[in-house]
Amino acid sequence: MIWRLLKFIKKRKEIKLRKKFFERNGGLLLQQQLNSPEGGLDKGRILTVMDLVVATDNFNKSRALGHGGLGTVYKGMLIDGRIVAIKKSTAVYEGKLEQFINEVVILSQINHRNIVKLLGCCLETEVPLLVYEFIPNGTLFEFLHDANDELPVTWETRLRIATETSGALSYLHSAASIPIYHRDIKSTNILLDEKYLAKVADFGTSKSVSLEQTHVTTLVQGTLGYLDPEYFQTSQFTDKSDVYGFGVVLVELLTGQKPISSSRTEEGRSLATYFMISMEENQLLDILHPQVREQATREDIKRVADLAKRCLHLQGRNRPTMKEVAAELEEVRNITFPSRIQRNKKSDAAVEEHADGLEPSKMKAETGTLALLDERPLLVTTSW
């Protein structure tokens, strides 16, 4: 009898604590967004802590995908069968809950095939948990820098990944309902799905901005090798700061070299600096990856390298916009691989046309690609 009473009291305390965390983490505000006609947020995106405990076998260490300075990402399976990645932070952030909820709402409404989807969140724990789709083939960094003779990274693949990534960033900057600065563009934050399509991930430091804003002023944070020098000097992050980070990724794709390397000379330890010096000294061909040098035309190399150079200009105002970057890469790709792109477009159109006549219950079974646009695995990067 006493054991049952103690068990009941313990359960009541747990329920009260979960309610306290839910309210403190902005759960009531999120519920208002759900009830708002224009909110457009699926109620299924609010998950309970028990949903995630079951999904991860109580956050079993064997389910950990990676560890970072701010927490751990776990692989799990929701009750509906979806494979997900759950980011569990170890840091408690006081205040700014309204901004946190706003970010959840914004990311929940983003719908782009090359951006990892935020599937939901849990507010019943001391620190909110974020639930993403799971992306199976790791990061672009691993794909480029971990040698794999069985899966060489061809020029066509490099150009496609660059085009897909730039298109996603262009969408965030100029096509989303509210412009979003990613603020941590790097090859470890670009994931590759089961078909090695690019997925931009990790929006932990992202900022949404009003249409009239030109920058956000913040404490300087970022990743060495990708950090915009202008942002470092002024603490003002602009859309062109994302462009700079993408420029470094583009050089990684061209050269196959890491953003920071002690094997290069002191002056060129930064890949961006090494690349710019090579361009100025007309030695670009010497630093290109063999796959690029052998498979790409000189015209392709010149156009993409010149584009990367413009992205890495020290003054942000002289860099192109992501929309301009995406358009130029798309043009290069259309000219170089027109038949492959046309076949892909026809294939996508056929899938969509077939899916239009399917009942929702049959869509997943009969259209793997289309269904996975909403259910494809998501990722996690270990360096937050």
Side-chain angles (χ1 to χ4, degrees):
M1 183 68 179
I2 295 177
W3 176 80
R4 289 184 179 179
L5 179 60
L6 292 174
K7 187 177 181 181
F8 174 77
I9 293 174
K10 181 181 179 182
K11 187 174 182 180
R12 286 290 300 272
K13 285 183 177 179
E14 289 176 351
I15 292 173
K16 287 183 178 181
L17 187 59
R18 290 176 190 173
K19 183 179 180 182
K20 175 186 175 182
F21 286 146
F22 182 83
E23 294 177 354
R24 193 191 72 178
N25 290 330
L28 298 179
L29 178 60
L30 184 55
Q31 284 183 333
Q32 290 177 5
Q33 294 280 0
L34 291 172
N35 294 328
S36 170
E38 62 274 8
L41 187 62
D42 180 4
K43 292 184 179 182
R45 293 186 188 275
I46 297 184
L47 302 170
T48 69
V49 67
M50 287 309 300
D51 290 333
L52 303 188
V53 166
V54 172
T56 61
D57 189 20
N58 198 22
F59 296 98
N60 193 301
K61 291 182 179 180
S62 65
R63 301 290 186 91
L65 292 170
H67 304 274
L70 298 181
T72 304
V73 177
Y74 296 86
K75 182 178 180 180
M77 177 184 288
L78 298 181
I79 193 170
D80 60 8
R82 284 182 295 175
I83 306 298
V84 296
I86 301 164
K87 181 181 287 188
K88 184 179 183 182
S89 176
T90 56
V92 179
Y93 296 97
E94 297 294 338
K96 297 189 176 180
L97 290 174
E98 184 173 348
Q99 290 92 325
F100 168 80
I101 296 302
N102 185 56
E103 179 183 3
V104 172
V105 173
I106 290 172
L107 291 181
S108 297
Q109 294 177 347
I110 286 179
N111 184 22
H112 192 284
R113 66 182 298 174
N114 298 118
I115 296 177
V116 166
K117 282 183 171 58
L118 176 66
L119 301 179
C121 65
C122 173
L123 306 175
E124 294 182 348
T125 53
E126 186 174 7
V127 178
L129 304 176
L130 298 179
V131 181
Y132 299 89
E133 60 172 334
F134 169 77
I135 304 300
N137 279 324
T139 70
L140 177 59
F141 183 91
E142 296 165 340
F143 190 48
L144 291 177
H145 305 303
D146 293 350
N148 186 349
D149 294 335
E150 297 180 0
L151 190 62
V153 190
T154 65
W155 170 238
E156 181 179 359
T157 297
R158 293 169 192 266
L159 184 57
R160 174 181 55 73
I161 289 174
T163 304
E164 291 169 347
T165 303
S166 63
L169 295 176
S170 174
Y171 168 85
L172 291 173
H173 287 185
S174 56
S177 56
I178 299 176
I180 298 171
Y181 299 164
H182 186 281
R183 299 186 65 227
D184 198 15
I185 296 301
K186 55 186 177 182
S187 55
T188 52
N189 281 343
I190 299 169
L191 309 178
L192 301 172
D193 72 6
E194 65 278 2
K195 294 185 177 180
Y196 288 88
L197 300 180
K199 297 271 192 174
V200 177
D202 203 336
F203 288 80
T205 61
S206 300
K207 293 284 186 182
S208 59
V209 297
S210 61
L211 293 174
E212 63 272 11
Q213 273 185 280
T214 59
H215 66 273
V216 291
T217 302
T218 70
L219 292 175
V220 175
Q221 55 182 321
T223 302
L224 192 63
Y226 299 91
L227 195 62
D228 173 15
E230 190 172 64
Y231 168 52
F232 182 77
Q233 294 172 355
T234 65
S235 296
Q236 294 183 348
F237 193 99
T238 72
D239 58 336
K240 299 299 184 68
S241 301
D242 274 349
V243 173
Y244 185 91
F246 176 78
V248 178
V249 172
L250 194 53
V251 176
E252 279 185 85
L253 288 163
L254 284 170
T255 67
Q257 298 195 36
K258 296 179 180 180
I260 296 292
S261 175
S262 59
S263 64
R264 295 191 289 262
T265 63
E266 183 72 28
E267 189 178 13
R269 285 188 178 176
S270 160
L271 179 58
T273 302
Y274 182 59
F275 170 78
M276 296 296 273
I277 292 174
S278 298
M279 290 283 285
E280 291 171 4
E281 297 179 350
N282 199 27
Q283 295 179 341
L284 174 63
L285 290 178
D286 295 337
I287 69 170
L288 293 177
H289 190 275
Q291 292 280 349
V292 176
R293 194 164 49 239
E294 295 167 8
Q295 298 174 359
T297 65
R298 285 185 174 269
E299 178 61 26
D300 282 354
I301 292 173
K302 184 178 186 305
R303 287 192 65 177
V304 176
D306 284 343
L307 179 60
K309 182 179 178 180
R310 299 201 305 276
C311 290
L312 295 175
H313 199 287
L314 292 178
Q315 295 180 322
R317 66 174 181 272
N318 292 324
R319 299 171 198 156
T321 64
M322 280 311 310
K323 187 174 183 179
E324 292 168 338
V325 172
E328 186 156 351
L329 287 172
E330 186 69 40
E331 183 178 337
V332 173
R333 189 166 173 242
N334 285 338
I335 293 173
T336 307
F337 305 104
S339 58
R340 174 67 63 88
I341 293 173
Q342 194 59 36
R343 287 200 302 271
N344 289 343
K345 287 182 177 179
K346 287 182 179 179
S347 177
D348 288 345
V351 170
E352 291 177 6
E353 182 179 357
H354 178 59
D356 285 342
L358 291 176
E359 299 174 13
S361 61
K362 296 181 180 179
M363 188 175 292
K364 180 177 178 181
E366 299 191 28
T367 65
T369 301
L370 186 63
L372 286 173
L373 288 179
D374 287 323
E375 297 188 5
R376 266 178 200 156
L378 154 85
L379 147 133
V380 195
T381 139
T382 59
S383 55
W384 299 345

